[in-house]
Amino acid sequence: MPSLSSLRRDWLSNPRGDILAGIVVALALIPEAIGFSIIAGIDPRVGLYASFSIAAIIALVGGRPGMISAATAAIAVLIVPLVKAHGVEYLFAATILMGVLQFIGGLLRLDLLMQFVSKSVVTGFVNALAILIFMAQLPQLIGVGWMTYPLVAAALAIIYLLPRLTRAIPSPLVAIVVLTAAAIYWNLDVNRVGDMGELPSALPFFALPQVPLTFETLAIIFPYSLAMAAVGLLESLLTAQIVDDLTDTPSDKPRELKGQGIANFVTGFFGGMGGCAMIGQSVINVKSGGDGRLSSFVAGTFLLFLIVVLGPLVAQIPMPALVAVMIMVSIGTFSWRSVKELRTNPWHSSVVMAATVVAVVATHDLAKGVLVGVLLSGIFFASKVRALFAVDTSLSTDGSTRTYRFTGQIFFASVERFLAAFDFREVIEKVVIDVRDAHFWDISAVAALDKAVIKLRREGTTVEVLGLNEASATMIDRFGISDKPDAEARLAAH
């Protein structure tokens, strides 16, 4: 149970900043939720209800105060085939199962997998997301009336110049209010939020998904739920890490995973699609002064208030104002310093970052981009460790003993060099394999040592392995075969 002091810190340490930032986020969530619903081929109400439900619930049960979660593009892309083939009721069932899987992921501490995601991958993820956010605004900037462009410019001017005069009110909120008033007063010919889709006029209500409770239904929804859960957790963990850096405060990642599960589980019963943390909205929230749970709760509840009570007024918000806010988010999200560091960073790190960006932008799938980055990081790391391997050899003065001294890490990537160091054709009485400065990491290394020892003994040479450390000796005792009676036969079997 959280203590009273932690509740006060999470909820009431910055009420003014959290409330104002939450209002800005709520306004920015509307076009995004509608847009993601259109991507998924579902009614805009599904995305809007999901954004309300997830943002409000995660404020209560999540592990990263100040982080905004709602309906997202990453999930919307995944559910298109399910909705098209089986209908929206199966989407609600898949969202409920997604929540269950995410909660289990929290219990299994899947957040620990983030230790294997390098800084270069995170930077690539952030840059790719910034590019995707900007690209998502292009439909509102291409093929539209000329009035759109001066309005976008005016909104950007307010967003960037107003903070030089005052920071009492978030500048994105001022930009939205001013441009909405101007658009209504002069009846400007620009796209409005209402043009994106019909806003709901009623509250969401609890209902069971209208699907058969059979194994056939489970077989249909499980692959989608698993993919949604994996992508949602990945994006949430990466976003939490970014918010941690922005606010210089730690997050409770196991709690965040379980919180995401609870939020999606409940949302499915209220007619919403799955969602997860949103880096763009989280950056808006933090940059607008929101860093507590109250900001996320206000964002969710004010979103519902806007669409149900103030729907007609919200429908009049000009899209150029929201486009300008998202351009600000895109610019603020992109790591411009990483471009300058391309020449100074190790080339491996730059390649990982660039490959992650290219993979995400090309596929519009954040999970695939991160997977590419992690795989490349692993390959480069193994290559670096492999390069540390060295071997030295000497012959005793009487010519009877050959000593091989190995230094470095012996594992799957270095076993070829390990075996190549031996001269199996040399006629010698005894061979000493000195591994005091080496470490055997895996069964590939053990198998290589077995192969060397058995081949040398086959030629009548006495072999002594010298200086095994405790961990290497334990692995060789468990998996090695060179000292077994049937070593030759087992080596031949391999």
Side-chain angles (χ1 to χ4, degrees):
M1 285 290 291
S3 65
L4 188 62
S5 62
S6 67
L7 287 173
R8 188 181 296 116
R9 182 187 65 242
D10 287 350
W11 284 92
L12 300 174
S13 62
N14 177 34
R16 182 176 174 280
D18 283 343
I19 291 171
L20 291 175
I23 292 172
V24 175
V25 171
L27 290 166
L29 277 175
I30 293 174
E32 289 212 340
I34 295 174
F36 300 153
S37 300
I38 294 171
I39 290 173
I42 52 183
D43 191 298
R45 282 177 295 185
V46 178
L48 290 166
Y49 286 160
S51 292
F52 147 69
S53 173
I54 295 171
I57 294 172
I58 206 69
L60 302 170
V61 298
R64 176 59 264 185
M67 187 168 76
I68 303 298
S69 297
T72 62
I75 301 297
V77 171
L78 293 175
I79 62 178
V80 173
L82 175 65
V83 174
K84 193 172 182 179
H86 301 284
V88 73
E89 293 293 332
Y90 278 80
L91 168 61
F92 301 152
T95 300
I96 293 169
L97 181 56
M98 168 192 180
V100 173
L101 294 174
Q102 288 184 321
F103 190 84
I104 294 173
L107 294 176
L108 296 176
R109 294 296 313 272
L110 292 186
D111 56 291
L112 296 177
L113 294 177
M114 281 299 294
Q115 298 174 26
F116 301 100
V117 179
S118 68
K119 186 174 185 299
S120 300
V121 177
V122 174
T123 304
F125 171 87
V126 169
N127 288 347
L129 199 56
I131 294 171
L132 290 184
I133 291 171
F134 181 80
M135 291 173 64
Q137 312 312 311
L138 294 180
Q140 294 297 329
L141 295 171
I142 299 174
V144 295
W146 66 270
M147 181 57 70
T148 296
Y149 305 107
L151 287 183
V152 171
L156 287 172
I158 294 172
I159 289 170
Y160 284 107
L161 296 180
L162 184 64
R164 298 186 180 186
L165 302 175
T166 177
R167 294 181 179 273
I169 303 176
S171 59
L173 179 59
V174 175
I176 292 170
V177 172
V178 170
L179 264 66
T180 301
I184 295 173
Y185 185 78
W186 284 297
N187 192 25
L188 299 178
D189 183 22
V190 292
N191 286 337
R192 313 287 177 99
V193 168
D195 298 327
M196 298 288 291
E198 184 182 357
L199 296 175
S201 57
L203 294 171
F205 55 88
F206 181 90
L208 292 174
Q210 299 300 305
V211 297
L213 298 177
T214 63
F215 282 109
E216 184 181 357
T217 300
L218 181 63
I220 291 171
I221 65 173
F222 185 79
Y224 293 99
S225 299
L226 186 61
M228 292 159 66
V231 170
L233 292 184
L234 179 63
E235 191 163 346
S236 298
L237 288 172
L238 288 172
T239 305
Q241 192 165 322
I242 291 165
V243 177
D244 288 354
D245 294 338
L246 283 174
T247 59
D248 288 328
T249 56
S251 55
D252 184 343
K253 293 186 174 61
R255 180 178 174 181
E256 179 61 33
L257 298 194
K258 288 182 276 190
Q260 290 284 336
I262 294 170
N264 281 304
F265 177 79
V266 175
T267 297
F269 288 108
F270 281 92
M273 60 184 279
C276 60
M278 306 175 76
I279 185 171
Q281 300 294 346
S282 299
V283 171
I284 290 179
N285 189 46
V286 174
K287 299 278 185 186
S288 300
D291 58 7
R293 296 183 183 277
L294 186 60
S295 60
S296 179
F297 188 77
V298 169
T301 52
F302 194 67
L303 170 66
L304 188 65
F305 175 76
L306 284 173
I307 57 181
V308 174
V309 180
L310 301 181
L313 181 59
V314 171
Q316 295 300 315
I317 295 175
M319 286 304 297
L322 298 175
V323 168
V325 173
M326 297 313 294
I327 290 175
M328 175 207 73
V329 172
S330 175
I331 294 171
T333 302
F334 196 90
S335 175
W336 299 98
R337 191 175 64 179
S338 67
V339 178
K340 294 180 181 176
E341 292 175 344
L342 279 175
R343 291 184 177 179
T344 56
N345 280 346
W347 69 268
H348 306 89
S349 300
S350 298
V351 168
V352 169
M353 191 274 284
T356 304
V357 172
V358 171
V360 172
V361 174
T363 63
H364 285 219
D365 189 328
L366 295 166
K368 288 179 181 173
V370 172
L371 181 61
V372 168
V374 170
L375 284 175
L376 274 178
S377 297
I379 291 171
F380 287 143
F381 176 76
S383 177
K384 286 179 185 176
V385 175
R386 175 182 175 274
L388 298 176
F389 176 86
V391 58
D392 177 40
T393 180
S394 62
L395 186 64
S396 63
T397 53
D398 61 359
S400 64
T401 302
R402 168 73 67 185
T403 300
Y404 294 93
R405 298 182 185 83
F406 292 93
T407 303
Q409 313 306 316
I410 303 172
F411 64 116
F412 65 90
S414 59
V415 293
E416 190 175 342
R417 294 175 66 194
F418 175 80
L419 286 171
F422 293 97
D423 182 1
F424 295 109
R425 292 173 300 180
E426 182 180 28
V427 178
I428 196 86
E429 184 178 331
K430 181 179 179 182
V431 164
V432 175
I433 303 176
D434 185 346
V435 292
R436 281 176 293 188
D437 296 320
H439 188 101
F440 289 75
W441 282 102
D442 55 16
I443 58 173
S444 296
V446 176
L449 180 63
D450 281 337
K451 191 172 184 179
V453 171
I454 293 171
K455 287 184 73 172
L456 289 167
R457 286 176 179 167
R458 189 185 297 158
E459 301 299 325
T461 303
T462 301
V463 180
E464 180 184 3
V465 179
L466 182 67
L468 279 171
N469 60 38
E470 185 177 350
S472 299
T474 301
M475 177 169 282
I476 289 170
D477 285 344
R478 185 174 179 187
F479 299 106
I481 62 171
S482 59
D483 291 332
K484 301 289 189 300
D486 56 346
E488 282 280 359
R490 293 175 68 172
L491 180 65
H494 287 286

